Amino acid sequence: MFEIETGTKLYVSNLGNGVSEEDINILFSEFGDMKWYAIHYDKNGGGSKGTAEVVYSRRQDALAAFKRYNNAKLDGKPVKIEIVGTNAATGNSSRVLRRREGRRRGRGRGRRDSGGGKVVSAIELDADLDKYHSEAMQID
């Protein structure tokens, strides 16, 4: 796994079931280089949990995406974005996100690790996410 710089990771929630990883890539890649992105899938049913993560190489890119898309509507639902590890002020957006139809590929159940091409399962991603959130929430 790679090291994540504080303020470069976005936790995206309130996504509709029809939002794909390709949609996340299209929407968030315009702000800069993404290290990785993934939609969270239910361990049992395989359907989307309505959440995703996006990790940028630079904090400025994550902040720009946060400012542009936090509370923007996607498929009629306001997207909620948190910058993990910071106390960024929430901004309102009156934007409406539009997915580009016809560019969808299949829904991935995992992602490729940028290191050796190993496929990481949704269960492993969920375990990593749960571990990360529990560590992030501990107060020294």
Side-chain angles (χ1 to χ4, degrees):
M1 199 86 189
F2 53 86
E3 191 170 318
I4 299 174
E5 181 182 353
T6 302
T8 60
K9 183 175 183 178
L10 300 179
Y11 180 76
V12 184
S13 61
N14 205 31
L15 297 172
N17 289 337
V19 178
S20 70
E21 287 186 351
E22 183 66 17
D23 295 328
I24 296 296
N25 181 30
I26 290 168
L27 290 171
F28 288 90
S29 65
E30 72 179 88
F31 298 101
D33 181 45
M34 293 187 299
K35 287 186 177 181
W36 65 272
Y37 56 92
I39 289 182
H40 303 139
Y41 293 96
D42 183 76
K43 294 176 188 176
N44 301 321
S48 171
K49 290 183 173 183
T51 60
E53 289 185 38
V54 177
V55 178
Y56 286 96
S57 297
R58 300 177 337 145
R59 281 184 218 160
Q60 299 93 314
D61 300 337
L63 186 58
F66 171 82
K67 286 180 178 177
R68 176 100 175 258
Y69 288 148
N70 188 44
N71 292 320
K73 289 189 178 184
L74 177 61
D75 292 343
K77 296 174 72 174
V79 174
K80 303 296 181 192
I81 300 177
E82 296 174 44
I83 301 177
V84 178
T86 66
N87 291 327
T90 58
N92 289 328
S93 176
S94 60
R95 300 181 191 277
V96 175
L97 306 178
R98 301 211 191 297
R99 291 184 288 151
R100 296 180 191 162
E101 296 300 325
R103 296 199 52 177
R104 285 190 179 179
R105 297 180 190 149
R107 283 190 185 174
R109 294 284 321 251
R111 65 171 171 81
R112 291 206 178 266
D113 187 333
S114 60
K118 175 186 168 203
V119 175
V120 181
S121 73
I123 293 171
E124 291 171 307
L125 286 172
D126 287 338
D128 284 348
L129 176 62
D130 292 342
K131 180 182 173 190
Y132 180 83
H133 281 159
S134 67
E135 290 173 358
M137 298 308 288
Q138 291 180 4
I139 299 173
D140 295 342

